[in-house]
């Protein structure tokens, strides 16, 4: 064990250099943690049957004492380590060796119960409290979850059954969640079978997620890969995500609760990712977006075998905004609807929402897109009282596999298009709207209008 600890990578986040072409171009270097222990030293047994929650809790409690001494690493060797939910601490690296699998217990009593998030009011699936995530962080700084492609497996099948049969006592847990934390790095890990979300940074800043693989089977209800939620300065790159519902979904709170909390998701950079979504969208914005979503740069996506490729979702009562979004260099294959913008999507947490809280959807540019075996090019359905504006399409070529009279459907939307095939609807073909098309111009990482 001592030899393995010496050989293991002990990582911490150090950021230097200037932004060049986006948040993902910030230069990250990894330095060694001065202290490292193995989960074996705390009595853990990796047989897939022994419950190791106390071992994880004790190990992290011990490592917390090194927070002001450069931080520490918890090393998880090969084995199947069954556990209930546990908390991380600041200045910590959780390192999963190749062949190491952290297994989420299928006994709900092994998952802690916590209050709903304030920006979601009474809760999501059920009103009231929720199950805490398997791996959890609250008000932390400088945390790394990494390894030699170790695995965190939520064993979510029982949760999916309880969800579909309406037998849950509380809202489903996520696999990894950070709340009100900053300087988070997640890399070189496989996530499997989350009960709900796999990676959920909420109210966080400076989150870097790269080289992770995320999977849940097609029938898993409302499983989502990565969900930046009321968080800023987020980079997601070089990931492969295949989900039952959405692959990546950006959110920022629900109706009056998200409006009151008032924390947007902003300054997000997504690039070089492969996304698949069985019943949702490969890349989704909303529908819970009441705190606002803005300044998002998306590049070099491969979207495949999905219900929808890219979708913007909202409804009356949401308030908030989705604006200043630039998406480019996307390859789509076997997608039912390539692009969607829906102003009548999703439900409300309760009857206290303000129907006059109208969302703003504007300044969205989509360019350099190739799509093969697409059924519907686009369905843009805005809100009569608050139409979607400045939707700009450029250099888009879609191979349509259906005999629809019109592969585009538009209402209460306006914008500009250039070099788009098949020809978009007239609402998106206004030359006067070209001046309001949006792009993210670098090197300073600031957004600008073309």
């Amino acid at each position: 064990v001592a030899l393995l600890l010496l050989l293991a990578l002990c990582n911490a986040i150090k950021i230097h250099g200037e932004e060049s072409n986006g948040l993902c171009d910030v230069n990250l270097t990894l330095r060694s943690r001065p202290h490292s222990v193995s989960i074996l030293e705390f009595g853990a047994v990796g047989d897939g049957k022994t419950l190791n929650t106390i071992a994880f809790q004790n190990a992290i409690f011990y490592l917390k004492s090194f927070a002001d001494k450069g931080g520490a690493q918890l090393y998880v060797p090969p084995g199947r380590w069954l556990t209930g939910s546990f908390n991380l601490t600041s200045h910590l690296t959780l390192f999963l060796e190749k062949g190491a699998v952290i297994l989420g217990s299928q006994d709900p009593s092994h998952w802690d119960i916590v209050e709903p998030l304030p920006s979601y009011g009474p809760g999501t699936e059920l009103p009231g409290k929720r199950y805490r995530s398997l791996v959890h962080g609250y008000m932390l700084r400088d945390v790394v979850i990494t390894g030699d492609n170790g695995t965190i497996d939520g064993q979510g099948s029982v949760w999916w059954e309880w969800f579909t049969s309406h037998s849950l006592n509380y809202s489903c847990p996520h696999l990894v969640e950070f709340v009100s934390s900053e300087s988070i790095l997640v890399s070189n890990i496989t996530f499997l079978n989350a009960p709900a979300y796999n990676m959920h940074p909420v109210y966080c800043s400076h989150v870097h997620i790269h080289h992770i693989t995320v999977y849940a089977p097609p029938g898993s209800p409302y499983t989502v890969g990565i969900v930046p939620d009321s968080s800023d300065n987020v980079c997601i790159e070089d990931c492969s995500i295949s989900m039952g519902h959405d692959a990546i979904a950006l959110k920022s709170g629900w109706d009056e609760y998200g409006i009151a909390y008032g924390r947007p998701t902003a300054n997000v950079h997504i690039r070089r990712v492969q996304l698949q979504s069985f019943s949702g969208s490969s890349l989704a914005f909303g529908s819970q977006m009441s705190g606002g979503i803005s300044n998002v740069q998306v590049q070099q996506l491969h979207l495949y075998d999905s219900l929808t490729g890219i979708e913007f979702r909202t409804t009356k009562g949401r308030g908030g905004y989705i604006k200043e979004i630039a998406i480019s260099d996307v390859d789509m294959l076997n997608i039912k609807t390539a692009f969607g913008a829906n102003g009548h999507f999703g439900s409300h947490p309760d009857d206290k929402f303000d129907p006059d809280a109208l969302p703003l959807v504007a300044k969205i540019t989509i360019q350099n897109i190739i799509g093969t075996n697409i059924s519907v090019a686009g369905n843009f359905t805005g809100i009569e009282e608050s139409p979607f504006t400045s939707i700009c399409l450029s250099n888009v070529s879609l191979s349509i596999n259906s005999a629809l009279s019109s592969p585009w459907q538009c209402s209460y939307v306006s914008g500009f298009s250039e070099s788009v095939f098949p020809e978009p609807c007239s609402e998106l073909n206004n030359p006067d709207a070209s001046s309001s098309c949006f792009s993210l111009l670098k090197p300073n990482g600031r957004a600008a209008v073309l």
Side-chain angles (χ1 to χ4, degrees):
V1 171
L3 178 60
L4 288 173
L5 294 177
L6 289 172
L7 294 176
L9 295 177
C10 308
N11 301 317
I13 303 173
K14 184 180 180 181
I15 299 177
H16 63 82
E18 306 232 344
E19 292 180 356
S20 56
N21 291 316
L23 291 163
C24 289
D25 288 298
V26 172
N27 190 4
L28 292 176
T29 60
L30 301 175
R31 66 174 182 266
S32 295
R33 301 284 194 191
H35 307 279
S36 184
V37 297
S38 169
I39 191 65
L40 291 171
E41 298 176 50
F42 296 86
V45 179
D47 60 2
K49 300 177 181 178
T50 303
L51 189 66
N52 295 294
T53 310
I54 293 176
F56 277 100
Q57 291 172 343
N58 288 344
I60 290 167
F61 180 79
Y62 170 74
L63 294 176
K64 188 175 182 179
S65 63
F66 297 99
D68 60 349
K69 303 177 181 66
Q73 173 185 261
L74 176 58
Y75 175 77
V76 182
R80 295 173 61 81
W81 310 92
L82 182 68
T83 180
S85 57
F86 62 90
N87 282 317
L88 301 179
T89 189
S90 292
H91 309 292
L92 174 75
T93 295
L94 177 63
F95 187 96
L96 278 67
E97 186 58 86
K98 183 177 182 180
V101 181
I102 292 179
L103 291 171
S105 171
Q106 293 186 312
D107 183 341
S109 69
H110 298 155
W111 298 66
D112 294 338
I113 308 299
V114 294
E115 296 295 327
L117 293 165
S119 59
Y120 286 84
T124 50
E125 291 98 354
L126 294 169
K129 297 183 178 181
R130 64 192 184 108
Y131 290 103
R132 192 172 64 182
S133 62
L134 182 66
V135 181
H136 191 76
Y138 176 66
M139 294 190 69
L140 303 184
R141 178 180 176 84
D142 176 26
V143 178
V144 178
I145 300 176
T146 189
D148 186 12
N149 199 32
T151 299
I152 302 177
D153 185 342
Q155 299 198 105
S157 59
V158 294
W159 297 96
W160 308 330
E161 292 172 7
W162 293 329
F163 178 86
T164 55
S165 64
H166 304 286
S167 54
L168 279 169
N169 294 320
Y170 306 101
S171 293
C172 273
H174 308 312
L175 209 49
V176 176
E177 181 177 72
F178 287 96
V179 181
S180 301
S181 299
E182 61 178 304
S183 298
I184 306 299
L185 173 62
V186 180
S187 68
N188 301 307
I189 293 288
T190 295
F191 294 94
L192 297 177
N193 305 315
Y197 303 166
N198 286 268
M199 181 72 201
H200 185 216
V202 56
Y203 321 139
C204 290
S205 295
H206 300 288
V207 179
H208 198 119
I209 303 168
H210 69 100
H211 291 105
I212 69 169
T213 300
V214 189
Y215 176 80
S220 55
Y222 294 104
T223 53
V224 186
I226 302 173
V227 184
D229 194 345
S230 293
S231 294
D232 59 83
N233 296 293
V234 177
C235 166
I236 302 169
E237 63 178 342
D238 299 308
C239 298
S240 177
I241 304 172
S242 179
M243 284 290 106
H245 192 50
D246 296 333
I248 295 176
L250 284 70
K251 299 179 180 291
S252 65
W254 203 3
D255 286 7
E256 68 271 22
Y257 305 102
I259 294 171
Y261 197 83
R263 175 149 185 179
T265 286
N267 303 325
V268 178
H269 191 186
I270 301 169
R271 69 178 181 185
R272 298 193 304 266
V273 294
Q274 299 185 61
L275 307 177
Q276 187 269 336
S277 164
F278 180 75
S279 66
S281 295
S282 298
L283 176 62
F285 296 78
S287 70
Q288 298 99 337
M289 37 63 70
S290 301
I293 299 171
S294 68
N295 199 19
V296 179
Q297 181 183 19
V298 182
Q299 303 167 293
Q300 298 171 272
L301 305 188
H302 174 59
L303 314 181
Y304 65 100
D305 299 343
S306 298
L307 183 64
T308 306
I310 299 167
E311 188 170 27
F312 304 88
R313 307 163 173 167
T314 188
T315 193
K316 293 180 183 179
R318 286 284 190 273
Y321 52 81
I322 302 173
K323 65 179 183 177
E324 300 171 359
I325 313 295
I327 300 171
S328 64
D329 303 305
V330 180
D331 169 36
M332 296 187 181
L333 176 65
N334 304 332
I335 306 291
K336 184 173 181 181
T337 301
F339 308 111
N342 191 340
H344 307 278
F345 192 103
S347 61
H348 301 285
D350 51 36
D351 59 2
K352 299 177 183 178
F353 71 94
D354 178 5
D356 295 324
L358 299 175
L360 170 71
V361 178
K363 295 185 178 180
I364 295 169
T365 294
I366 300 172
Q367 60 185 355
N368 303 330
I369 314 294
I370 296 177
T372 303
N373 199 28
I374 308 298
S375 299
V376 177
N379 188 339
F380 294 88
T381 305
I383 299 171
E384 182 176 5
E385 299 88 344
S386 182
F388 301 166
T389 61
S390 303
I391 309 298
C392 300
L393 306 174
S394 174
N395 193 25
V396 176
S397 178
L398 304 175
S399 174
I400 304 299
N401 61 17
S402 63
L404 293 173
S405 58
S406 176
W408 298 86
Q409 300 174 26
C410 300
S411 61
Y412 304 114
V413 62
S414 64
F416 170 77
S417 60
E418 182 179 45
S419 300
V420 176
F421 180 83
E423 183 77 15
C425 42
S426 59
E427 292 91 335
L428 297 176
N429 211 0
N430 180 6
D432 295 334
S434 62
S435 62
S436 62
C437 292
F438 183 79
S439 180
L440 291 176
L441 301 180
K442 304 299 174 179
N444 63 3
R446 299 289 183 180
V449 177
L450 290 177

